[in-house]
Amino acid sequence: MPDAPLLGPTAFVLAGGGTKGSFEAGALQYLVGMERIIPDIITATSAGAIAAAVLAQARTHDEFVRYVQEIETDILAMTRTEHVFGQQPWLRALEGTSLGGAITFGLTEGTRPPMPVIFANDEDADAASPSERILKRQARKHRRSRRRKAVRMVTGAAHRLPKARRKLRTSGNSVLNLQPLGDALRQGGESGIKPIDLSLVTRPGLQLRLAVTALRAGVLRYVTEDGTIVEDDARTPAPGAAAGPVDFIEGALASASVPLVFPPRHLADDDYVDGGVLEIIPVKAAVQLGATRVIAVVAMPLHLAREERDFVDGPAANIGVRAIGLIELAHRQRENLAVALPVGTTLDTIDPVVDVVGVFEVEPGLLRINKDYGWLRAADVMAEGDATILAEVAEDTHKIAAARLRAWHLEETLWAAGGPKGDVLAGSFALLREIKGEIQTLVDRRKQLGFPVQEGCEAWWTEYEVHGGIHPPHLPAHLTTTRQ
């Protein structure tokens, strides 16, 4: 018989993952809004640290509801990258060139997971319709075109390269900077991000730990709610001047400073980068602070989907991203969750299986899908009942997210100028209706089993997902499924 849970502090643990944190925003909306859970402790890393800094202003349930909603607004504001991320001088020197655009694209849309296979039944790829096969060929053609353009990009930017090279000597430790985000967190602005009230953060009633990595000392530390830097036991102040105190906003930005993408930030006597270098999911810190109920919200899948590309003869970049990046990150996440828990302490992990968005996603439609996915996953994890039914419902949740993702990608081809025409357009639209019908079936089954769904989820199968640009005149204003 398992040990009875202890009555004690509740902790939210918010992982890193860039704008993949939209999944966390949805999970928090469910936990606070539906389950009415409010934390006594928050530990967080990277993007989770930015969300935690906002959330740390709350103490009452109503305040937590308010700031959870603010987190969603902040994440959507990040799709307007010019309001959140600043370009380093060397990249700014390439502004307006194809090479500069390609670098920016690589960090935003380039980090997006590949387009999923658009089949009504993924197990039977050979049964793909003509429109499906054409869409797959279009995707392959687009990838080849991007590779061919690489050389032309360098040639086109040749006259800017000397200036960029000079700037690189003084600002070459990163591609972007977080100064616009820092300004917004301090004083607001046109981004829509609201400033953090430090007087609310430092009130009694909540313990906060933001994970940071000290480059000089080579250790993991945490920034607390009052700007003190503590060691990796989450309690002991760092030695001497290393303890600070430091500017709280600077601490949050340091936790989110992904190496090479953003520059390190100087805090006290050291230079700090993303805490995710050492700890992406700071469960251990929550336990060290005495939490007996720990709810970890993860932004990135814990297990990778099989990748079919050829790595033996493929480019080194693909090998590096897969091995040093994705595989290593997934392993570290699982390692962070494998913490020895004291008797009576519980750990619930809310994690995605379907990878929906990129690390620096710029499409609001994809972020909304990911947020809704987080809401459903939180509902699944917090539910009680028959294990078989719970597993079936969780599987349906992944299918809903995957189907909406397939629908978004398919709609993008319909939205694009010069998109499918004639029979291909008709076939693509029929496939879209079929996918929407699948979503409706999955949601109906969830309702029949008594599991919660978001208000307004009917739009998932009656409307298009969110896209940029004007609605194409050749497409119906609304969708109807193939079901009667």
Side-chain angles (χ1 to χ4, degrees), residues 88 173-174 176 213 215 250 253-254 257-267 270-274:
Q88 291 292 75
N173 60 357
S174 65
L176 305 173
T213 301
L215 288 178
E250 280 297 302
L253 295 174
S257 292
V258 180
L260 302 182
V261 179
F262 304 116
R265 303 192 85 88
H266 187 77
L267 303 176
D270 211 319
D271 301 319
Y272 287 85
V273 293
D274 192 333

Side-chain angles (χ1 to χ4, degrees), residues 20-357:
K20 290 178 184 289
S22 50
F23 178 92
E24 296 177 316
L28 289 171
Q29 286 176 352
Y30 179 84
L31 293 172
V32 173
M34 301 296 290
E35 295 284 337
R36 300 185 67 84
I37 300 172
I38 61 174
D40 307 289
I41 298 165
I42 302 176
T43 65
T45 299
S46 197
I50 302 299
V54 174
L55 205 57
Q57 298 172 95
R59 294 297 181 272
T60 67
H61 178 261
D62 287 344
E63 289 173 346
F64 274 102
V65 170
R66 169 188 168 188
Y67 288 113
V68 164
Q69 184 57 45
E70 195 170 298
I71 290 170
E72 178 187 349
T73 302
D74 290 353
I75 289 174
L76 290 174
M78 292 180 185
T79 60
R80 302 179 66 184
T81 54
E82 70 277 10
H83 290 160
V84 182
F85 307 131
Q87 293 184 342
Q88 291 292 75
W90 71 267
L91 181 58
R92 200 158 52 242
L94 295 173
E95 192 170 2
T97 69
S98 296
L99 179 58
I103 294 170
T104 302
F105 178 90
L107 282 173
T108 54
E109 294 181 58
T111 66
R112 185 179 300 161
M115 183 179 71
V117 179
I118 307 177
F119 299 128
N121 179 1
D122 287 344
E123 295 178 356
D124 190 9
D126 293 335
S129 68
S131 61
E132 291 167 329
R133 291 195 294 270
I134 289 174
L135 288 172
K136 286 189 68 179
R137 285 199 296 272
Q138 288 176 337
R140 288 195 297 269
K141 182 179 179 181
H142 180 61
R143 289 194 297 269
R144 288 195 298 268
S145 175
R146 281 168 52 188
R147 287 195 293 268
R148 287 196 298 268
K149 286 169 64 176
V151 175
R152 294 199 299 270
M153 287 176 184
V154 175
T155 303
H159 66 291
R160 302 278 192 91
L161 290 178
K163 181 179 179 181
R165 189 164 52 248
R166 289 194 299 272
K167 298 290 186 181
L168 196 61
R169 297 193 188 109
T170 57
S171 65
N173 60 357
S174 65
V175 181
L176 305 173
N177 64 70
L178 290 171
Q179 200 56 47
L181 176 59
D183 292 342
L185 292 176
R186 289 187 176 91
Q187 60 213 28
E190 59 182 336
S191 67
I193 295 174
K194 294 183 179 179
I196 291 175
D197 186 337
L198 297 181
S199 68
L200 299 179
V201 175
T202 55
R203 286 183 295 167
L206 181 74
Q207 296 186 80
L208 179 69
R209 298 293 185 271
L210 308 180
V212 290
T213 301
L215 288 178
R216 298 183 189 183
V219 296
L220 174 71
R221 289 175 175 154
Y222 298 94
V223 177
T224 72
E225 66 274 10
D226 64 2
T228 301
I229 299 179
V230 297
E231 298 285 25
D232 65 357
D233 66 357
R235 292 184 179 275
T236 305
V246 300
D247 178 88
F248 175 76
I249 301 297
E250 280 297 302
L253 295 174
S255 183
S257 292
V258 180
L260 302 182
V261 179
F262 304 116
R265 303 192 85 88
H266 187 77
L267 303 176
D269 72 342
D270 211 319
D271 301 319
Y272 287 85
V273 293
D274 192 333
V277 169
L278 295 173
E279 192 165 40
I280 304 176
I281 314 171
V283 172
K284 184 178 179 181
V287 173
Q288 289 168 326
L289 291 174
T292 58
R293 184 187 192 189
V294 181
I295 302 174
V297 189
V298 181
M300 298 181 287
L302 298 175
H303 300 277
L304 299 181
R306 180 179 171 83
E307 175 64 75
E308 297 299 341
R309 79 174 70 187
D310 178 7
F311 289 102
V312 173
D313 297 317
N318 289 350
I319 300 170
V321 168
R322 183 71 177 176
I324 302 173
L326 299 177
I327 294 175
E328 199 276 334
L329 282 172
H331 174 76
R332 198 183 319 149
Q333 287 194 131
R334 297 192 299 271
E335 196 173 59
N336 291 165
L337 289 168
V339 172
L341 300 176
V343 174
T345 298
T346 62
L347 170 62
D348 292 306
T349 302
I350 301 168
D351 61 308
V353 170
V354 180
D355 202 7
V356 177
V357 302

Side-chain angles (χ1 to χ4, degrees), residues 394-453:
E395 183 62 28
D396 282 355
T397 291
H398 305 317
K399 289 179 180 178
I400 290 170
R404 290 186 67 191
L405 183 56
R406 290 197 297 269
W408 185 89
H409 279 279
L410 180 54
E411 289 169 12
E412 277 286 285
T413 67
L414 299 173
W415 235 255
K421 299 292 192 297
D423 291 342
V424 175
L425 173 61
S428 298
F429 199 74
L431 176 60
L432 179 60
R433 289 180 187 273
E434 188 175 335
I435 293 171
K436 297 287 187 176
E438 177 188 349
I439 296 169
Q440 182 179 8
T441 298
L442 292 167
V443 172
D444 284 349
R445 186 159 63 199
R446 183 183 182 90
K447 290 179 180 178
Q448 290 165 5
L449 291 170
F451 284 77
V453 295

